[in-house]
């Protein structure tokens, strides 16, 4: 870690020294010492410097008498590309909020090992706070860099509203660039600006650059056993041939010592290996590699063993995933949808823990204790449970789960809440809560009209998942990184029914929403039959009449839930409802009416 820290610090400061030397030359104030200072740049890049030496060098190159002159145009001399991979990653951020998320984990490389960086924000003001080093001039340059970075992302009009630096009433370096108010702080540097700047989209955002550089940063951090094992996995092109004794040798351990460490860390070696193989499989298949070739590249003995392993883990066949990848890549140029899926954040820890818990251990007390630790998850649960359709408003989390939503449903609902929590900020759809409400309504409609009484436990579980999860990919096609998000919104506005919307998305962009949802669930580690059934919703098998019948009922509930709650539409005009009895139509109308009143 120390070597990486020195490397990033050295590159950062060497780039600033180069900028100062260039500006000195253009201002006509360079002298014979500048050539010597250029040699110092090499020492900086090798980490051979202290803050005291750095401060002296900065003051020599940028003396107080010239600081106003430097501050006015030094920003134009900054070459972010020379400031290390970390700075390039920051400049490729989507907006300032995105950059602060990265900086919050990596700040020591730029702000110093002592910085203890933090961000606080309300609707009006965002404040960055960090501990300065021992030398004020170094702190000034760090603040100057942050101002330059934020202007790069949000535009030239960005400015701090206040700047506080200990023992400094004003800074000639910053005064020429910023109109902010100056205060002398009592110990920490504070940079405040209007919160509205945080989400200003950057024209320099690059998903491919972010993806590439994030991977290099992650490999440079000190890692626990799990990460070290993953790094060993990467050393072979044939992951299916990996054995624990080989990994132990790569780590310089005996197999018994290695397995003891795994037990102590509650780490499943086979689980990690299967996940690694599965991730590689998905990457190859989605990129168009043939199943036979993928099996060979991964080190399987034959295609059959590969397909068996893949289907056991993913729930769909290798051929089906490859076919979906082909459609996403080649139909109307929508390869970026795969990138959107691959860059989805992981599920929140509380929700992942809930999903990983054995069903026999799911008690009301346990679920409440888990959700109480996640305020956002708790807020979602209380909000949905307060719908009138679920009964009287709950007074606490126990009532919300045990009485209103039902403890048997909480894991299903958790996935919807997770999608809403993780993807709302990137969703171009105007009312995200409508999307999740319609998903919940579809399950309620099925329960009221068809019920689950004739189904066994496994069938009930599958259908509930298909009802609730089937349309999650709406978050993908309305995602601001999806190239056809604007087109999807136009289709939504023009479509008469949800079924019409699905068909147009398929016709125009070659995307089946149900199939795309399977990609999301694969990304989040779902290994159940729900992926297989989603594919059947996408392409129903007419030979399986029972499955086909349930598929039609599920799609009918989706169609009614999204259509009737968003458009003033007579139910008889919605395709499929004509096959229902008068009693079922009445139940649909009553349920929708009650639901709409509860969300009004």
């Amino acid at each position: 870690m120390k070597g990486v820290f020195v490397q990033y610090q050295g590159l950062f400061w060497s780039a600033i020294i180069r900028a100062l030397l260039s500006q000195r030359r253009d201002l006509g104030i360079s002298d014979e010492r500048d050539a010597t200072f250029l040699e110092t740049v090499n020492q900086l890049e090798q980490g051979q410097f202290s803050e005291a030496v750095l401060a002296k060098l900065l003051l020599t190159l940028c003396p107080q008498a010239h600081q106003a002159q430097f501050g006015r145009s030094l920003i134009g001399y900054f070459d972010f590309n020379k400031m290390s991979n970390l700075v390039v990653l920051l400049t490729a951020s989507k907006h300032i909020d995105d950059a602060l998320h990265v900086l919050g984990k990596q700040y020591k490389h730029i702000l110093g090992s002592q910085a203890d960086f933090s961000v606080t924000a309300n609707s009006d003001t965002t404040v960055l706070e960090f501990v300065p080093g021992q030398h004020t001039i170094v702190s000034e340059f760090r603040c100057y860099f942050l101002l330059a970075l934020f202007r790069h992302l949000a535009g030239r009009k960005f400015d701090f509203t206040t700047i506080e630096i200990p023992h400094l009433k004003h800074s000639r370096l910053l005064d020429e660039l910023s109109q902010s108010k100056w205060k002398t702080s009592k110990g920490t540097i504070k940079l405040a600006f209007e919160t509205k700047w945080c989400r200003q989209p950057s024209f320099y955002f690059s998903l491919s650059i972010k993806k590439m550089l994030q991977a290099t940063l992650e490999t440079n951090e000190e890692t626990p056993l799990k990460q070290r094992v993953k790094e060993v996995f990467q050393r072979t092109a044939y992951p299916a041939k990996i054995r624990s004794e080989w990994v132990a040798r790569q780590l310089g351990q005996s197999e018994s010592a290695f397995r003891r460490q795994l037990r102590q860390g509650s780490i499943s070696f086979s689980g990690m290996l299967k996940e690694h193989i599965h991730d590689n499989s998905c990457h190859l298949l989605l990129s168009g590699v043939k199943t036979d070739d993928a099996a060979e590249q991964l080190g399987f003995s034959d295609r059959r063993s590969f397909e068996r392993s893949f289907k056991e883990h993913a729930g769909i066949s290798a051929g089906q995933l490859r076919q979906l990848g082909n459609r996403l890549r080649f139909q109307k140029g929508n390869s970026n949808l795969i990138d959107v899926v691959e860059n989805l954040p992981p599920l929140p820890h509380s929700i992942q823990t809930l999903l990983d818990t054995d069903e026999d251990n799911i008690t009301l007390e346990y679920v409440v204790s888990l959700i109480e630790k996640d305020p956002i998850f708790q807020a979602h649960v209380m909000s949905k449970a307060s719908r009138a359709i679920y009964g009287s408003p709950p007074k606490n989390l126990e009532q919300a789960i045990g009485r209103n939503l039902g403890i048997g449903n909480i894991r299903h609902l958790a996935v919807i809440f997770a999608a809403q929590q993780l993807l709302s900020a990137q969703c171009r759809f105007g009312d995200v809560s409508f999307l999740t409400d319609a998903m919940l309504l579809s399950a309620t409609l099925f329960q009221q009209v068809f019920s689950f009484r004739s189904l066994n436990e496994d069938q009930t579980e599958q259908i509930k998942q298909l009802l609730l999860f089937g349309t999650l990919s709406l978050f993908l096609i309305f995602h601001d990184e999806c190239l056809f998000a604007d087109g999807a919104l136009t289709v939504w506005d023009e479509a008469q029914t949800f079924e019409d919307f699905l068909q147009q998305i398929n016709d125009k962009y070659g995307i089946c929403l149900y199939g795309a949802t399977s990609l999301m669930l694969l990304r989040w580690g779902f290994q159940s039959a729900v992926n297989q059934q989603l594919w059947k919703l996408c392409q129903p098998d007419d030979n399986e009449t029972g499955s086909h019948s349930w598929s039609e009922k599920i799609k009918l509930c989706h169609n009614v839930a999204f259509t009737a709650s968003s458009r003033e539409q007579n139910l008889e005009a919605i395709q499929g409802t004509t096959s229902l009895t008068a009693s079922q139509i009445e139940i649909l109308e009553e349920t929708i009416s009650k639901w709409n009143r509860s969300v009004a």
Side-chain angles (χ1 to χ4, degrees):
M1 179 68 176
K2 183 177 180 182
V4 175
F5 178 69
V6 169
Q7 174 195 359
Y8 286 149
Q9 284 263 30
L11 290 171
F12 176 77
W13 286 111
S14 72
I16 290 179
I17 299 303
R18 290 178 191 275
L20 288 171
L21 288 170
S22 296
Q23 194 171 8
R24 281 171 61 83
R25 179 185 59 198
D26 291 350
L27 291 173
I29 61 173
S30 58
D31 55 40
E32 67 279 358
R33 296 178 301 170
D34 286 25
T36 305
F37 293 144
L38 191 57
E39 295 177 6
T40 307
V41 168
N42 295 325
Q43 296 175 354
L44 283 170
E45 291 176 353
Q46 294 170 20
Q48 300 173 10
F49 69 97
S50 65
E51 187 170 308
V53 171
L54 177 63
K56 184 177 179 180
L57 181 58
L58 291 173
L59 284 170
T60 302
L61 291 172
C62 185
Q64 196 171 62
H66 291 287
Q67 282 183 4
Q69 213 174 1
F70 273 93
R72 192 177 304 119
S73 54
L74 179 63
I75 188 172
Y77 286 82
F78 276 1
D79 186 349
F80 290 130
N81 292 332
K82 294 288 195 298
M83 289 184 173
S84 81
N85 284 355
L86 172 58
V87 174
V88 177
L89 174 61
L90 291 170
T91 63
S93 298
K94 186 182 303 180
H95 38 55
I96 291 175
D97 251 1
D98 191 17
L100 290 177
H101 178 73
V102 176
L103 195 61
K105 298 178 180 179
Q106 308 282 353
Y107 65 86
K108 292 184 179 181
H109 299 312
I110 294 173
L111 304 180
S113 58
Q114 80 299 324
D116 195 22
F117 177 78
S118 65
V119 181
T120 56
N122 56 39
S123 58
D124 299 318
T125 304
T126 295
V127 180
L128 315 184
E129 185 172 3
F130 57 96
V131 178
Q134 296 179 349
H135 301 273
T136 303
I137 185 66
V138 177
S139 296
E140 289 181 80
F141 270 93
R142 284 169 171 151
C143 293
Y144 191 97
F145 163 75
L146 290 174
L147 182 56
L149 172 67
F150 295 162
R151 286 194 173 177
H152 169 83
L153 296 172
R156 294 175 62 185
K157 292 184 179 181
F158 172 88
D159 199 0
F160 296 125
T161 52
T162 58
I163 298 176
E164 300 181 34
I165 299 180
H167 316 301
L168 189 65
K169 294 183 179 180
H170 69 93
S171 164
R172 291 183 176 88
L173 184 67
L174 285 156
D175 278 355
E176 291 298 316
L177 201 64
S178 172
Q179 301 300 312
S180 57
K181 296 179 181 178
W182 272 89
K183 295 182 181 180
T184 301
S185 67
K186 297 182 179 180
T188 59
I189 294 173
K190 294 182 180 180
L191 306 173
F193 57 91
E194 294 180 41
T195 299
K196 68 178 184 180
W197 291 109
C198 285
R199 308 295 294 187
Q200 181 75 20
S202 170
F203 294 123
Y204 300 98
F205 169 58
S206 171
L207 183 61
S208 58
I209 289 176
K210 283 194 64 176
K211 186 176 178 181
M212 176 182 67
L213 293 182
Q214 279 175 331
T216 65
L217 291 179
E218 288 169 2
T219 58
N220 282 329
E221 297 290 348
E222 283 186 343
T223 54
L225 176 61
K226 208 167 186 178
Q227 185 59 41
R228 287 191 290 130
V229 172
K230 288 181 179 179
E231 289 173 358
V232 172
F233 286 169
Q234 297 291 345
R235 296 176 192 173
T236 176
Y238 305 106
K241 295 183 178 181
I242 291 175
R243 299 294 181 266
S244 61
E245 58 269 23
W246 177 80
V247 175
R249 286 199 304 273
Q250 297 298 308
L251 294 173
Q253 300 177 351
S254 66
E255 185 180 4
S256 58
F258 174 54
R259 288 197 172 278
R260 184 165 57 250
Q261 278 192 310
L262 291 172
R263 286 195 300 271
Q264 290 171 349
S266 299
I267 299 171
S268 167
F269 177 80
S270 62
M272 282 187 65
L273 181 56
K274 285 179 181 178
E275 183 178 339
H276 175 71
I277 294 171
H278 170 66
D279 288 345
N280 279 272
S281 302
C282 288
H283 175 74
L284 290 172
L285 294 168
L286 287 172
S287 61
V289 175
K290 294 180 179 179
T291 306
D292 285 328
D293 294 337
E296 183 178 351
Q297 288 184 39
L298 293 167
F300 282 90
S301 57
D302 53 47
R303 172 177 175 158
R304 182 176 297 178
S305 59
F306 166 60
E307 288 186 324
R308 183 171 57 250
S309 172
F310 184 84
K311 190 166 185 178
E312 177 185 341
H313 192 94
I316 62 176
S317 71
Q320 287 172 327
L321 185 65
R322 183 172 178 272
Q323 182 179 354
L324 182 58
N326 287 339
R327 297 182 70 187
L328 293 175
R329 276 196 315 282
F330 301 122
Q331 289 206 18
K332 303 186 187 294
N334 295 313
S335 61
N336 83 297
L337 198 59
I338 294 178
D339 291 332
V340 175
V341 172
E342 289 183 348
N343 286 279
L344 288 178
L347 292 173
H349 176 72
S350 57
I351 291 176
Q352 188 63 65
T353 301
L354 182 60
L355 294 174
D356 290 342
T357 303
D358 190 282
E359 193 167 345
D360 294 336
N361 297 323
I362 296 289
T363 64
L364 179 59
E365 183 180 9
Y366 171 77
V367 173
V368 168
S369 67
L370 189 63
I371 296 177
E372 281 178 334
K373 299 173 184 176
D374 187 336
I376 298 177
F377 189 9
Q378 183 172 347
H380 282 310
V381 170
M382 292 300 294
S383 173
K384 301 303 182 187
S386 297
R387 302 289 193 246
I389 199 165
Y390 292 124
S392 57
K395 296 179 180 179
N396 50 45
L397 196 55
E398 287 87 345
Q399 288 186 2
I401 298 170
R403 186 191 68 193
N404 290 41
L405 297 176
I407 191 169
N409 296 322
I410 196 63
R411 289 203 289 187
H412 301 144
L413 301 177
V415 179
I416 293 179
F417 298 154
Q420 183 174 351
Q421 178 177 332
L422 294 171
L423 301 173
S424 286
Q426 293 81 30
C427 188
R428 301 279 290 279
F429 192 83
D431 186 1
V432 171
S433 62
F434 165 79
L435 299 179
T436 53
D437 279 341
M439 295 172 196
L440 297 175
L441 175 56
S442 66
T444 302
L445 291 173
F446 191 99
Q447 171 71 51
Q448 296 295 322
V449 177
F450 302 115
S451 86
F452 296 98
R453 285 193 297 271
S454 62
L455 303 172
N456 61 38
E457 188 174 335
D458 289 341
Q459 290 172 325
T460 299
E461 174 73 9
Q462 277 190 26
I463 290 178
K464 284 183 177 180
Q465 289 182 355
L466 294 170
L467 287 161
L468 291 166
F469 303 166
T471 54
L472 275 178
S473 57
L474 288 169
F475 282 103
L476 292 182
I477 66 168
F478 293 137
H479 197 286
D480 60 11
E481 291 170 10
C482 175
L483 292 179
F484 61 90
D486 287 335
L489 288 169
T490 300
V491 172
W492 178 274
D493 291 336
E494 295 176 352
Q496 295 299 308
T497 65
F498 184 65
E499 183 179 44
D500 182 31
F501 169 76
L502 295 182
Q503 188 60 53
Q504 288 193 53
I505 290 295
N506 202 326
D507 292 343
K508 289 188 175 185
Y509 306 110
I511 302 299
C512 170
L513 251 68
Y514 297 115
T517 293
S518 71
L519 290 179
M520 292 180 70
L521 297 184
L522 285 170
R523 169 68 178 87
W524 284 338
F526 276 74
Q527 303 171 21
S528 69
V530 66
N531 292 311
Q532 177 70 37
Q533 296 304 321
L534 279 168
W535 188 264
K536 288 183 177 180
L537 286 179
C538 199
Q539 295 178 323
D541 186 350
D542 293 331
N543 294 324
E544 297 184 17
T545 54
S547 173
H548 182 73
S549 175
W550 290 117
S551 295
E552 292 305 312
K553 290 176 180 177
I554 290 167
K555 289 191 286 187
L556 170 63
C557 289
H558 283 153
N559 191 21
V560 172
F562 281 91
T563 302
S565 55
S566 65
R567 296 166 172 80
E568 302 229 345
Q569 181 102 38
N570 187 301
L571 278 180
E572 280 80 357
I574 299 177
Q575 186 173 343
T577 57
T578 52
S579 62
L580 300 179
T581 65
S583 174
Q584 288 175 319
I585 292 285
E586 184 179 350
I587 292 172
L588 278 180
E589 290 175 336
E590 289 178 358
T591 305
I592 292 167
S593 177
K594 189 173 184 180
W595 182 274
N596 287 340
R597 289 197 304 271
S598 73
V599 299

